[in-house]
Amino acid sequence: MALPDLAKKPQRFTGGHRACAGCGFPITIKIILQAAENPVVVGCSTGCMEVTSTIYPYTAWECSFIHSAFENVAATISGVETAYRSLKKQGKIQEEITFIAFGGDGGTYDIGLQALSGAMERGHKMVYICYDNQGYMNTGIQRSSATPRGANTTTSPAGTHIPGKQQYPKDLTAIMAAHNIPYVAQSSMSHWNDLYRKAKKAFSADGPAFLNVLSTCRLGWATAPEDTVDVAEGAVQCKLWPLFEVEEGVWKLSFKPRQPLPVADWMKQQGRFKHLFRPENAELLTDIQREVDERWEKLLKRCGIENGGDKQG
Amino acid sequence: MAQSIGEQSMGLMKGNEAIAEAAIRAGCRAYFGYPITPQNEIPEYMAKHLPKVGGVFLQAESELAAINMVYGAGGAGVHVMTSSSSPGISLKQEGLSYIACAEVPCVVVNMMRSGPGLGGILPAQGDYFQATKGGGHGDYHLLVLAPSTIQEAVDLTYEAFDLARRYRNPVMILGDGLLGQMMESVTLPQPKAPLPKPPWATTGCGDGEPRVINSLYIQGDVMEERTKRIFAKYAKMKQNEIRFENYKTDGAKIILAAYGSTARIAKTAVDKARTRGIKVGLFRPISLYPFPYDELSEVATEAKAVLTVEMSMGQMVEDVRLAVEGRCPVRFYGRSGGIVPTPQEILQQIQAIWSHIA
């Protein structure tokens, strides 16, 4: 898909919503929804996306939309998709419809993981999309299990006792791959072509599919609004957020930075990591780089790429 | 970001932060929570300040996890607390039922927001039934205290840990988004050391008898024994823990009944009505469970009408009716959806009633 063609496709998520200037998720949703050919039914877990796009009586969604609670968007869409299958079996509906569940990282990595796992295991034909902005941003920037180690949040405050969040994030995409569903992928809002291609694959998968998409939160990450796309790209370029897909159990790397940035370079762009550049936190920075490198090497192995450090993808 | 007033004993504080500080001063050493508006300043304050006194702040992956962490830490005899707001408190109900049956002391703060459903983040009082009538499954109650000022929230939170320990029962501080978000001047109590570990705490029995904390009783007679034991404590609470405030109720012909944030608005309405020569007073329950039935009954004896005002479609009004026992009409005025009633609105209600009875 060439960009001019993409721009001509109708928008299912329109402007006029109340997301912050420089927010990442509207870009993410627009690209994903443009990849859907059929009519879509969107479920949305509680979070910035739901709150800012559906303030009654207004909506930014040019499609069917349902919201229930924070923890159960995957269960809600399971119900909707089941009703659809029943209606289809009864001959009351013929049309092909695509079912999509959106959740943030809090609603997906944490409180919604149980419902998500259940939906994937049961095999509902849905695409679950996590827009991962690495924290509970809607409630005022609390840590989540997707928050990077060292990030300052209101519940992992960097101070004299701790230098920000103390744990490394959960590898949710690998957890979803372990469900052995037809399609799992990780992408970033900064790589629109990669995201569009993966969304297409997810929508055409014969069964459940899962996408984990990095989406900048300029408030939570403390970055300038105009840098939103660049910061997301930085996470990919420093190998902290690799782009890959797992198709029918086969792992494939989608993008390999030619000259990976040090993670510290990416962190320097964001206010939430500024304390890490104090001398007493030098060791932590080294450890974060080591963890990123280790995870990257593990990913390369899974993707069947040997001597990962030398080859270009 | 949470602001501490440090070692000072007086200062201007936000309701949520004042409650968190009062809990730390009361000896709270473990806090388990999960983000939800409008109470986020409580976990944020705890994250920042609890480690300074050797306490533990932990953000769980859900409210279900948080309340069960409370169960675990409370069982180990630690002064423990969690907080949330309406939808999150709903998710904690299963845990609270288990905790009440297992007799584990803990403090739960509910900064109510509008509902049902996801509702909104504006203040409301729609969780009265849930808080006072059980909430979760089975026969149990929480001890429920409803502050109407930040100072009172501080004082009740400070005391809640002792009450929880005394009755081995969860204590709920029932506030709302208004109380949580507003700022007032407060005087803070002196920090006290946590009470020593109780003899029932499951921290190892050594050579003594095994210690058991349990909520599973398969045999009917044993389970009945258990509920009777729990209800004997509620009988004691009814003797000792009834709290209320009478405001200008002497000789009042109209009694307003209101709790929490609504009561402070009702007070202003009472003052305005008094300047117009209307004989009206306010009865403010502070303990919602146990409810001050007899005390309300007493002030309502001489009254011609009772007007219950709530930020709900009418919940406490049912207890007010039980207290009044039909001796005079019980009217209701409520706003919901997060709308806070104005003194003027309440005054109009008072004037309408007064025009009938004067």
Side-chain angles (χ1 to χ4, degrees):
Chain A
M1 173 67 67
L3 195 53
D5 297 329
L6 188 65
K8 282 179 204 152
K9 297 194 85 179
Q11 288 287 359
R12 286 184 166 108
F13 186 81
T14 62
H17 54 75
R18 302 190 196 179
C20 301
C23 174
F25 80 71
I27 301 171
T28 307
I29 308 176
K30 279 181 186 174
I31 295 171
I32 290 168
L33 290 179
Q34 283 184 319
E37 298 299 335
N38 301 326
V40 297
V41 174
V42 168
C44 198
S45 110
T46 308
C48 285
M49 181 190 280
E50 166 262 332
V51 167
T52 60
S53 66
T54 64
I55 295 176
Y56 189 81
Y58 304 105
T59 179
W61 299 86
E62 297 274 357
C63 59
S64 299
F65 180 92
I66 184 169
H67 162 262
S68 53
F70 197 8
E71 68 277 16
N72 52 24
V73 63
T76 305
I77 290 298
S78 294
V80 177
E81 188 264 353
T82 303
Y84 166 73
R85 274 190 290 120
S86 170
L87 290 170
K88 220 174 180 190
K89 209 186 276 177
Q90 296 170 55
K92 290 180 178 168
I93 196 166
Q94 275 82 39
E95 209 173 357
E96 287 300 316
I97 294 174
T98 297
F99 296 91
I100 308 173
F102 281 108
D105 50 291
T108 307
Y109 282 68
D110 291 346
I111 197 167
L113 187 58
Q114 181 174 325
L116 170 59
S117 180
M120 298 292 112
E121 185 273 334
R122 286 188 302 270
H124 295 280
K125 195 165 166 8
M126 69 161 82
V127 177
Y128 190 107
I129 294 139
C130 173
Y131 74 99
D132 181 348
N133 60 18
Q134 305 187 328
Y136 291 84
M137 305 316 191
N138 184 43
T139 45
I141 313 161
Q142 291 87 12
R143 59 90 82 189
S144 79
S145 60
T147 306
R149 186 168 184 198
N152 176 50
T153 75
T154 53
T155 53
S156 61
T160 49
H161 279 61
I162 54 163
K165 193 196 172 198
Q166 293 169 284
Q167 299 85 6
Y168 286 108
K170 197 186 266 185
D171 188 351
L172 180 68
T173 315
I175 293 171
M176 298 324 294
H179 284 68
N180 293 317
I181 52 177
Y183 190 70
V184 171
Q186 189 160 293
S187 186
S188 165
M189 56 162 279
S190 54
H191 292 64
W192 64 269
N193 221 335
D194 179 83
L195 178 57
Y196 181 81
R197 189 179 58 79
K198 285 172 177 168
K200 269 255 179 267
K201 278 192 179 183
F203 291 135
S204 60
D206 185 22
F210 174 82
L211 294 182
N212 200 1
V213 186
L214 187 70
S215 181
T216 309
C217 172
R218 45 136 330 210
L219 279 185
W221 298 12
T223 53
E226 62 271 26
D227 293 340
T228 288
V229 178
D230 290 345
V231 178
E233 166 142 25
V236 177
Q237 294 291 355
C238 77
K239 304 184 297 184
L240 180 121
W241 190 260
L243 308 184
F244 62 94
E245 59 191 343
V246 187
E247 210 171 344
E248 299 294 350
V250 180
W251 290 64
K252 194 180 161 207
L253 192 69
S254 317
F255 174 79
K256 197 167 172 191
R258 288 182 193 282
Q259 279 180 319
L261 294 173
V263 184
D265 284 13
W266 175 68
M267 290 179 154
K268 263 183 205 150
Q269 296 177 286
Q270 304 165 60
R272 62 177 169 160
F273 296 117
K274 68 170 184 231
H275 57 282
L276 294 183
F277 298 94
R278 292 202 295 256
E280 67 268 26
N281 291 325
E283 219 167 286
L284 176 56
L285 265 184
T286 309
D287 199 64
I288 290 169
Q289 184 65 57
R290 179 202 52 75
E291 179 73 16
V292 166
D293 291 344
E294 263 183 40
R295 289 190 183 201
W296 175 259
E297 289 303 320
K298 210 194 253 173
L299 175 66
L300 292 186
K301 268 191 198 136
R302 277 172 166 162
C303 295
I305 302 171
E306 297 300 324
N307 304 318
D310 305 319
K311 282 190 196 165
Q312 296 298 328
Chain B
M1 187 60 79
Q3 293 299 315
S4 172
I5 64 167
E7 299 294 310
Q8 292 170 29
S9 60
M10 275 186 77
L12 188 66
M13 286 188 95
K14 200 171 190 176
N16 284 332
E17 292 174 355
I19 283 174
E21 178 63 31
I24 294 171
R25 290 181 181 224
C28 175
R29 290 297 178 268
Y31 174 93
F32 304 97
Y34 189 73
I36 186 167
T37 309
Q39 61 83 54
N40 291 310
E41 294 82 1
I42 300 178
E44 288 169 11
Y45 193 95
M46 288 299 196
K48 213 171 176 190
H49 299 289
L50 204 47
K52 292 179 187 167
V53 292
V56 173
F57 164 84
L58 199 154
Q59 184 184 318
E61 73 275 22
S62 69
E63 285 90 350
L64 276 75
I67 192 68
N68 285 291
M69 289 171 185
V70 166
Y71 190 0
V78 176
H79 283 313
V80 60
M81 172 174 158
T82 186
S83 64
S84 192
S85 178
S86 306
I89 295 289
S90 291
L91 286 171
K92 291 184 196 284
Q93 293 303 327
E94 179 196 51
L96 282 170
S97 170
Y98 280 57
I99 289 170
C101 185
E103 297 189 285
V104 172
C106 63
V107 174
V108 181
V109 178
N110 180 5
M111 285 299 175
M112 291 183 280
R113 58 188 248 182
S114 66
L118 190 64
I121 57 173
L122 297 170
Q125 294 180 318
D127 302 352
Y128 179 91
F129 286 150
Q130 185 194 54
T132 61
K133 309 297 179 189
H137 62 280
D139 269 338
Y140 80 95
H141 289 281
L142 310 176
L143 203 169
V144 185
L145 303 171
S148 78
T149 64
I150 297 178
Q151 183 64 56
E152 194 172 37
V154 163
D155 297 342
L156 292 176
T157 304
Y158 190 71
E159 204 184 340
F161 290 88
D162 292 345
L163 291 170
R165 180 68 75 82
R166 189 175 310 147
Y167 293 102
R168 288 187 64 179
N169 200 71
V171 175
M172 177 174 276
I173 302 293
L174 190 66
D176 60 60
L178 188 61
L179 201 66
Q181 296 298 321
M182 69 194 285
M183 291 183 90
E184 278 185 317
S185 171
V186 288
T187 304
L188 289 162
Q190 282 303 308
K192 59 182 172 187
L195 292 172
K197 286 269 168 73
W200 49 259
T202 49
T203 49
C205 60
D207 296 329
E209 285 292 304
R211 297 171 188 178
V212 178
I213 290 176
N214 185 28
S215 84
L216 172 67
Y217 300 93
I218 296 287
Q219 288 167 284
D221 54 343
V222 183
M223 185 69 235
E224 190 180 43
E225 252 343 280
R226 187 68 178 182
T227 41
K228 280 181 177 167
R229 177 186 151 100
I230 294 169
F231 271 71
K233 296 190 304 190
Y234 301 150
K236 277 199 185 128
M237 286 181 198
K238 285 171 187 171
Q239 282 170 14
N240 304 325
E241 307 306 338
I242 300 279
R243 291 144 201 255
F244 61 95
E245 182 194 356
N246 272 316
Y247 182 72
K248 300 187 179 174
T249 51
D250 279 350
K253 296 294 172 203
I254 303 172
I255 300 292
L256 294 193
Y259 72 95
S261 295
T262 311
R264 55 193 293 155
I265 302 162
K267 245 181 211 182
T268 308
V270 165
D271 291 342
K272 282 178 187 286
R274 284 271 174 185
T275 63
R276 289 164 169 77
I278 302 173
K279 289 179 182 164
V280 57
L282 169 71
F283 181 82
R284 179 171 73 91
I286 299 168
S287 60
L288 301 183
Y289 188 89
F291 189 83
Y293 291 106
D294 294 343
E295 293 73 12
L296 173 56
S297 175
E298 201 183 313
V299 294
T301 310
E302 300 298 315
K304 299 282 184 206
V306 173
L307 172 65
T308 308
V309 187
E310 297 175 55
M311 286 192 283
S312 79
M313 296 303 286
Q315 299 196 8
M316 187 181 77
V317 65
E318 295 193 4
D319 282 323
V320 172
R321 288 203 175 102
L322 285 174
V324 173
E325 292 180 308
R327 284 194 300 275
C328 67
V330 175
R331 308 276 181 224
F332 174 74
Y333 182 72
R335 294 302 304 265
S336 71
I339 307 294
V340 179
T342 62
Q344 194 58 33
E345 279 174 79
I346 300 171
L347 179 62
Q348 280 168 8
Q349 298 292 319
I350 296 169
Q351 283 171 322
I353 295 170
W354 185 248
S355 67
H356 286 292
I357 62 175

